[in-house]
Amino acid sequence: MKRPLISTLLLLSAAGGVFFLLNTMQGCRPSTTQAAVQGDAASKVYVRPGAYDEFYNFVSGGFSGQMSVYGIPSGRLLRHIPVFSQDPQSGYGYSEETKPMLMTTHGSIPWDDSHHVESSMTDGVPDGRWMFINGNNTPRIALIDLATFRTKSIIEIPNCAGNHSSPFMTPNSEYVISGTRFSVPMGTDAQRDVPIESYRENFKGTVSFIHPEPETGRMSIAFQIITPGMNFDLSHAGKGPSDGWFFFSCYNSEQAYSLLEVNASQRDKDFIMAVNWKKAEEYAKAGKGRKVPGRHYSNLYSDETHSATSTVVEEVLQLDPRELTDLLYFMPCPKSPHGCDVDPTGEYIVGGGKLAALIPVFSYSKMKAAIDAKTYDGDFMGIPVLKYESVLHGEVKKPGLGPLHTEFDDKGNAYTSMFVSSEIVKWNVQSLEVLDRVPTYYSIGHLCVPGGDSKKPFGKYVIAYNKITKDRYLPTGPELTQSAQLFSIDGDKMELLLDFPTTGEPHYAQAIPADLVRPRSVKFFDINKSKHPYMAKGEKETRIERKGKEVHIWMTTIRSHFTPDNVEGVRLGDEVFFHVTNLEQDWDVPHGFAIKGAATAELLIMPGETQTLKWVPDQIGVVPFYCTDFCSALHQEMSGYLRVSPAGSNVELKAETRSVDAGS
């Protein structure tokens, strides 16, 4: 991604791209960063103290494996949500309750590479209930509950190698989809152990349709569709007239398996794959597929028990389009497409050919007519290929260099990110006329219009997520902060309002009105409804028990002490479990718990919640523990001691909190 620009242009040119905007590209860069913002931009992004932002912006964390939340228009960072990576700040992935969230068939995987986010929807419009995010490396999809801003469910995707083309929703959240990034051989050990050069004969991909239960958020794989071997990049569901279809960008139709930078860029066109998911659902319910091995984990966190559990599933239902011949169709798309976006009307599908000098716009009604008339241009690996001209609404001519991803406003316009020429281009979906362009100064990847891939864009802003920021921020050693830029789209011309730094490498993001989320926010957990097996509802319920080498401590926290705060009788070689319940019943009064020498992390316990830290002492002596989250004027006094005696010691096991009188 960080190849010098001229080298990139030479490579793209050698791969067959036609690049005509070098002068335009150079001319659009301002000579200074100060020239970028004009007028009263500051007033348009100012959110006065005590006021709320208008939108939540949910941003993927890339190599951090997490999700970040920003306020728009301020650009203020509100929260990091732990998802696929352990989080020492909160204890996510370290506490006994959250460890199951990171379980996979490879064991506990405490990291991933998260690229895309997607909101749950009702009738094709974001509803503010859930956000989804993908794990690209160890294929997983996570569901975040926006009532708590916590990861509620994670499902592993079997028969999948790389999970980039996800997690995109059907219009009523019936399914969230996952398309494999890398095709691989599948089946038995003998079927998987084949020469890499047998790619064309033996490598396959899958598209998985995952159902989130509306009541619980638990996810399960409803069915998979086997696909020809190549790479799937991005996808979006149809809507309105195209509801019932899903569209995927595909590259490497050359079926190359080495030096893809060159070998997967030979053909003028790759494909947009159209999937009739309503027909696939019908076949699945009718038992037309076959069950195949597909061992995977489905992990679910409960707000009642404050704990996660893992369920292991051994097989999945697969549909084969070579047998069910009306499931998949290919539409030729200019080479190496990245974006695959459907406009708010559901009629137009936009491809983003990274190596193309135009933007193709396909018509759903023309596609359907071409399918009905069998207007084919042969097939690809047994899947019909529709004639390019028969499905094309038109092409946006000379939009810029390196089109990647497109989102839409509520006025019939589209906004496309141009990676190579570093700009956002605004164009009209019907007329295909370029209306405006603004520089982003350094290489833009994805962009986001609030609600911009739904039936009802909320408009107002477009946000650019840039890959290379160079001199727009203070230097921080060899790696600079990642970058986002906020533009106003209220008028005919886009206006840059704000640069703000981001965490990790932001890929895709979505922004939704704060009013969809804020009224549902959980302020604390009702301690009387807790079903955690080690919860103590009050200080009188605290105690200590030995179970062989395990020592369990029922502990409570409240401003500003622990009960118990003195523990004795623990022996070297014991495993100590601190089950800590936060007794507070007030908003935003968490407590922390940490003990000297803990090899995992601290705990951060919300009001009414119980969390467990496992600690294995490795030294004899008296060890302090304390609250790590500032909670009151006497926060520093919120601490205690635990005595570790030699193995085999007969020191009495006891736990207590002593009053001043008792200790005098």
Side-chain angles (χ1 to χ4, degrees), residues 83 123 131 169 192 237 252 262 266 420 427 469 472 478 580:
V83 184
D123 192 26
M131 291 298 298
M169 300 297 304
R192 295 195 304 271
N252 192 23
V262 173
Q266 298 298 308
V420 178
W427 50 278
T469 53
R472 293 185 69 79
V580 188

Side-chain angles (χ1 to χ4, degrees), residues 464-610:
Y465 303 94
N466 300 328
K467 300 298 186 186
I468 304 169
T469 53
K470 299 292 186 193
D471 56 316
R472 293 185 69 79
Y473 295 98
L474 287 171
T476 52
E479 183 182 14
L480 300 183
T481 183
Q482 304 289 328
S483 164
Q485 292 176 302
L486 179 73
F487 296 83
S488 169
I489 58 173
D490 273 346
D492 292 334
K493 298 294 183 181
M494 292 176 280
E495 177 189 4
L496 177 60
L497 301 179
L498 179 70
D499 281 19
F500 61 97
T502 60
T503 300
E505 183 193 1
H507 290 260
Y508 187 46
Q510 287 200 334
I512 61 177
D515 288 343
L516 288 178
V517 178
R518 189 160 52 91
R520 298 179 53 249
S521 184
V522 170
K523 293 179 170 58
F524 57 85
F525 297 105
D526 186 341
I527 199 167
N528 295 307
K529 295 181 180 178
S530 174
K531 296 181 180 179
H532 193 290
Y534 290 95
M535 181 264 300
K537 287 186 179 180
E539 294 180 359
K540 291 183 179 180
E541 295 185 9
T542 61
R543 63 188 190 277
I544 187 168
E545 286 185 9
R546 174 177 290 280
K547 299 177 181 179
K549 285 189 173 293
E550 292 184 359
V551 175
H552 292 265
I553 304 170
W554 282 254
M555 180 179 283
T556 61
T557 68
I558 197 165
R559 289 166 286 186
S560 295
H561 65 272
F562 293 102
T563 302
D565 64 2
N566 279 204
V567 177
E568 297 188 43
V570 172
R571 305 165 188 159
L572 203 64
D574 284 344
E575 294 181 336
V576 183
F577 294 85
F578 296 93
H579 308 290
V580 188
T581 299
N582 183 344
L583 296 179
E584 308 281 359
Q585 291 289 268
D586 193 8
W587 195 11
D588 197 29
V589 190
H591 289 293
F593 178 83
I595 186 165
K596 180 178 179 289
T600 52
E602 65 168 346
L603 297 177
L604 191 63
I605 312 122
M606 296 299 114
E609 184 178 39
T610 302

